[in-house]
Amino acid sequence: MQSKPDSSCRHSETIGDALARARRSLDNRLEADLLACRALGCGRSWLYAHDRDPIEPLSRQALEALVEQRLAGRPIAQLCGEREFYGRAFRIDEHVLIPRPETELLIDLALSLDLPDRARVCDVGTGSGCIALTLAAERPGWRVTGVDCSAEALAVASDNRIGLGLEGPEFVHGDLLEPLSGRRFDLIVSNPPYVADDDPHLQRGDLRFEPSTALVAGPDGLDVIRRLVDAAFEAITDGGHLLIEHGHDQASQVRPLLRQAGFTRVDSHRDLAGIERVTLGAKRA
Ligand code: GLN
């Protein structure tokens, strides 16, 4: 009787065979290819050019383990260990929110403001550092500070600063603006947690695997924004600005919060999906 091929016989398998299997399991060609690159430590052009080479057993096992985790729901960005944001690659892990395209609107708005060449800028809840580091990279004169209550997140942000070869920003540990008391900023930006405690989206997709401290903020999702708006008004210089990202249905609640805190020229801006996603306020002299 002919013995069945089992996994121990797969050492003669090629990279192309393993890739085809991963694509079938995931039913997603791009994700399978990205995971194969991760498992083999190569780029996509190398992967496609070497599809007839035998795959090393360790690489094959690594790919199978990644496919299994993806099938269990782990975000592709966590499995690949990085995500692109505003044209740069950021290392990420399970301690930080995965950078999202809608947050690029906040960057565009920050860069469009008329700020001093050496503006003092603070990113509250910096996470992977994608906002703080992007602003520092785009405006080398700006003095950027990123603050986060998670030490694990700050370790990721510091790694990203090294990866991008930037000297700034400084990263500070603490709750909102508390560790920076007495300091003043020309611009405060934030993508704070803003999902409501019982939002069903928390049980779906990538959100299940992201840190809840970066996502969830009380019964209406506005607990952190409420505290942040008041603290930010104190810390912003006369003539300075606040930019806050918020949920798809929160703009009409966030604008009054900014006005009550004392901000003027309060306005919400739409992301590429047409959703009011970032609200801007000014502190007039
Ligand atoms: N934009 C994220 C989402 O709804 C939430 C991010 C956040 O809370 N800051 O998926």
Side-chain angles (χ1 to χ4, degrees):
M1 193 177 109
Q2 199 180 328
S3 63
K4 277 195 209 159
D6 67 20
S7 59
S8 63
C9 298
R10 289 213 201 110
H11 56 264
S12 58
E13 195 177 53
T14 64
I15 289 175
D17 296 334
L19 188 57
R21 207 145 34 81
R23 286 173 176 172
R24 275 197 306 278
S25 304
L26 291 173
D27 197 20
N28 185 322
R29 205 182 158 99
L30 175 64
E31 290 194 356
D33 295 9
L34 291 172
L35 294 182
C37 289
R38 179 73 170 165
L40 278 90
C42 67
R44 276 163 74 195
S45 44
W46 191 96
L47 182 73
Y48 303 143
H50 290 79
D51 67 331
R52 283 158 188 245
D53 291 6
I55 187 165
E56 297 286 336
L58 281 178
S59 304
R60 178 173 57 71
Q61 282 161 23
L63 178 56
E64 284 171 359
L66 287 167
V67 167
E68 214 164 281
Q69 290 185 73
R70 182 63 190 133
L71 289 170
R74 272 288 293 277
I76 191 81
Q78 285 182 4
L79 295 173
C80 292
E82 68 171 41
R83 172 55 51 95
E84 192 178 291
F85 179 78
Y86 218 83
R88 296 179 182 85
F90 287 85
R91 184 174 95 66
I92 66 120
D93 66 17
E94 68 280 10
H95 299 296
V96 299
L97 194 77
I98 300 166
R100 288 162 164 72
E102 56 266 31
T103 305
E104 294 185 342
L105 168 65
L106 190 147
I107 301 290
D108 284 335
L109 290 167
L111 297 177
S112 73
L113 294 171
D114 187 17
L115 294 183
D117 289 346
R118 305 224 343 111
R120 290 156 297 173
V121 178
C122 183
D123 173 24
V124 180
T126 198
S128 66
C130 66
I131 297 173
L133 288 157
T134 299
L135 294 178
E138 295 288 327
R139 293 284 183 273
W142 287 6
R143 290 164 288 168
V144 183
T145 302
V147 52
D148 206 290
C149 59
S150 157
E152 289 95 344
L154 290 175
V156 175
S158 298
D159 267 12
N160 279 321
R161 177 177 55 203
I162 294 167
L164 292 170
L166 295 171
E167 276 177 25
E170 61 166 344
F171 289 115
V172 178
H173 187 212
D175 182 44
L176 300 186
L177 290 154
E178 263 172 36
L180 303 167
S181 79
R183 302 238 327 241
R184 293 289 172 266
F185 298 95
D186 302 294
L187 170 64
I188 292 180
V189 294
S190 185
N191 175 16
Y194 54 68
V195 179
D197 290 335
D198 63 353
D199 189 320
H201 290 101
L202 294 166
Q203 315 309 327
R204 294 185 212 141
D206 288 1
L207 273 67
R208 291 170 295 167
F209 295 83
E210 292 179 285
S212 61
T213 46
L215 288 169
V216 182
D220 62 357
L222 292 168
D223 281 5
V224 174
I225 292 184
R226 277 190 205 94
R227 290 199 294 129
L228 174 60
V229 164
D230 288 326
F233 192 77
E234 289 298 306
I236 289 174
T237 52
D238 290 341
H241 294 85
L242 172 66
L243 272 171
I244 295 190
E245 177 177 327
H246 46 70
H248 65 97
D249 54 358
Q250 291 173 332
S252 63
Q253 291 157 281
V254 171
R255 284 190 299 266
L257 290 176
L258 265 72
R259 290 194 194 103
Q260 281 154 28
F263 287 99
T264 57
R265 294 194 295 158
V266 175
D267 200 8
S268 302
H269 295 260
R270 292 179 194 276
D271 62 19
L272 289 174
I275 293 166
E276 286 185 323
R277 179 61 72 180
V278 177
T279 294
L280 171 67
K283 179 167 170 179
R284 299 313 299 164

